[in-house]
Amino acid sequence: MQQVRDNLFLKREDLIGEGISGNKYRKLKYNILEAKRLGYTKIVTFGGAYSNHILAASYIKKKHDIEVVGVIRGEELLTKVKENPTLLQAQKNGMQFYFVTREQYRNKASESFIIELKEKFGEFYLLPEGGTNPLAIKGCEEILTKETKQYDYICCPVGTGGTLAGLINSSELKQHVIGFSALKGDFLSKEVATLVTKVNWSINCDYHFGGYAKVTKELIDFLNEFKTVTGITLDPIYNGKMMFGIYDLLKKDFFPKNTSILAIHTGGLQSIDGMNLLLQKKGLPLINK
Ligand SMILES: *Cc1c(COP(=O)(O)O)cnc(C)c1O
C-alpha cells in the first residue's frame, strides 16, 4: 500500500502481472483456468479500439497458447491497425481480429450473432465484453487481503462493474466501497446490485468528464500534476477520473475526519499512447508517462 497523501493510500494493481496487468489480470485468471479445464483451444472476446481488455486477452495467446479472437467494434479499423497502438500490440501478441459494425457490435450477445461466430471460428470459450462474468468477479475478490481490512473506504474505477462487485464481495461490512463511474449515466448501480448481496457500497457518477474515454484539459492537467507530485502514472480513462474524484471529495470534506481511504490502481496505462495521439490531433496537452 503506497501512501499518496494524508489518509489516502493506493494499492498498486498496475504493477502486477506481465502484459496482463491490473484488474484485467484478476478478471482473466480464473477464466483462463476454466477454458483450459474444459479443453478449449480458442477464446473469443469483444472490445473497442483502445480496450485494455482486448490487449490483456491477446496475451493469453502469447502466454498460454490458446487462440484468441477479438471481435472489435468499428469496421473502419480494419485498415488502421498500424495507427492504433493497442490493436497493433494485440496483433503482435497473436490475436486474430474480427471487425464488425457498431450495429453488429450492439447485438454481440444475441444468439444469432454467437451462432455466426461459431460458424466462422468453430467452438470457443466466450469471454464477455470487459471480461466480466462470475469467474472474473471471483478473481477481483482477491484484490482485497488481510492488509486492506484496516481502511474505512475502498475506491475503484468502474466500467462494467465486475471489479467493484469483487471488491464488495471481499470487503468487510464496516468498510464502504465506492466505485467511480468512467461512463455517463447511472445505470451501473442497478447492474452491480444484481451481482452482490451486501449494501456497503455506492457508485459516484460525478466524474465521468463527458463519458467513456472523454477527457478535458482539466483532467489532463490533474494527471500530470499527480505524476509530478507522487511519481505515479494514472490512465486517463479510469484511474485518472477516480483520483480526480477522490481529490475533489477530499476538498469538500466528504470523508469524515480520521477515516482512511484505499484506492485501487487498476492499471490500464497502455491506453495513454492511443490517447496522446488523439490529444495531439486536438492540440491539447499530452499525458506524461
Ligand atoms: C476494464 C478496466 C476498468 C473497469 O473494470 P470493470 O470491472 O469493467 O468495472 C477499470 N480500470 C481499468 C484500468 C480497466 O482496464
Side-chain angles (χ1 to χ4, degrees):
M1 263 40 76
Q2 184 171 352
Q3 187 169 21
V4 176
R5 56 180 269 192
D6 320 323
N7 56 345
L8 172 61
F9 297 79
L10 200 52
K11 183 160 197 279
R12 300 290 306 274
E13 291 280 301
D14 56 317
L15 302 178
I16 65 167
E18 301 155 50
I20 309 179
S21 105
N23 66 341
K24 298 304 182 278
Y25 171 84
R26 304 288 186 181
K27 295 176 87 167
L28 289 177
K29 177 179 165 187
Y30 289 108
N31 276 295
I32 296 168
L33 289 174
E34 182 71 353
K36 285 185 178 172
R37 190 182 71 80
L38 297 172
Y40 283 100
T41 55
K42 188 176 278 180
I43 287 175
V44 172
T45 194
F46 309 85
Y50 299 98
S51 162
N52 294 327
H53 169 66
I54 285 293
L55 184 64
S58 73
Y59 280 96
I60 301 174
K61 162 71 181 158
K62 201 169 160 175
K63 286 172 188 261
H64 301 274
D65 202 30
I66 298 173
E67 294 297 321
V68 186
V69 177
V71 179
I72 310 292
R73 180 168 157 271
E75 266 190 324
E76 75 284 358
L77 292 163
L78 175 62
T79 54
K80 293 189 182 150
V81 171
K82 280 200 186 66
E83 299 154 41
N84 182 303
T86 304
L87 294 180
L88 192 60
Q89 184 60 47
Q91 190 174 56
K92 281 186 187 151
N93 291 345
M95 180 179 255
Q96 190 185 339
F97 297 133
Y98 179 40
F99 295 95
V100 298
T101 63
R102 283 169 172 72
E103 188 180 341
Q104 281 176 300
Y105 194 84
R106 231 172 288 129
N107 296 324
K108 64 188 171 304
S110 71
E111 203 179 326
S112 60
F113 188 63
I114 301 298
I115 290 171
E116 186 192 321
L117 289 174
K118 290 214 162 130
E119 280 166 3
K120 215 169 160 60
F121 299 109
E123 281 300 313
F124 55 77
Y125 183 84
L126 186 128
L127 263 181
E129 181 182 38
T132 291
N133 63 10
L135 289 175
I137 294 172
K138 177 179 165 179
C140 290
E141 290 171 7
E142 296 176 354
I143 295 173
L144 297 183
T145 63
K146 274 210 309 281
E147 285 74 41
T148 63
K149 288 187 195 300
Q150 57 171 299
Y151 299 94
D152 301 301
Y153 289 89
I154 310 283
C155 297
C156 77
V158 180
T160 62
T163 305
L164 177 63
L167 293 173
I168 295 166
N169 284 346
S170 58
S171 67
E172 302 288 301
L173 278 175
K174 63 177 186 3
Q175 294 179 309
H176 191 83
V177 189
I178 306 178
F180 288 80
S181 180
L183 288 70
K184 196 151 76 177
D186 50 12
F187 54 95
L188 278 165
S189 291
K190 255 195 206 140
E191 265 176 50
V192 173
T194 67
L195 303 173
V196 300
T197 53
K198 288 183 192 154
V199 293
N200 61 335
W201 60 279
S202 54
I203 295 185
N204 180 310
C205 301
D206 297 336
Y207 303 99
H208 57 69
F209 288 84
Y212 181 71
K214 299 272 196 314
V215 298
T216 64
K217 182 170 180 303
E218 190 187 20
L219 178 66
I220 294 162
D221 289 343
F222 173 79
L223 294 179
N224 288 337
E225 171 77 12
F226 187 85
K227 166 84 183 172
T228 305
V229 173
T230 66
I232 301 166
T233 311
L234 301 172
D235 78 293
I237 297 174
Y238 293 106
N239 292 286
K241 294 180 180 182
M242 167 188 71
M243 195 54 77
F244 188 103
I246 293 172
Y247 270 53
D248 197 48
L249 292 176
L250 282 167
K251 204 157 63 190
K252 293 174 173 160
D253 290 326
F254 169 85
F255 301 102
K257 246 193 164 46
N258 298 321
T259 55
S260 56
I261 307 155
L262 178 68
I264 311 298
H265 190 323
T266 51
L269 301 182
Q270 68 88 23
S271 71
I272 294 176
D273 289 342
M275 183 60 77
N276 274 342
L277 289 175
L278 294 176
L279 292 172
Q280 201 165 20
K281 273 190 202 155
K282 290 184 183 166
L284 284 167
L286 303 189
I287 300 159
N288 295 331
K289 276 204 288 182

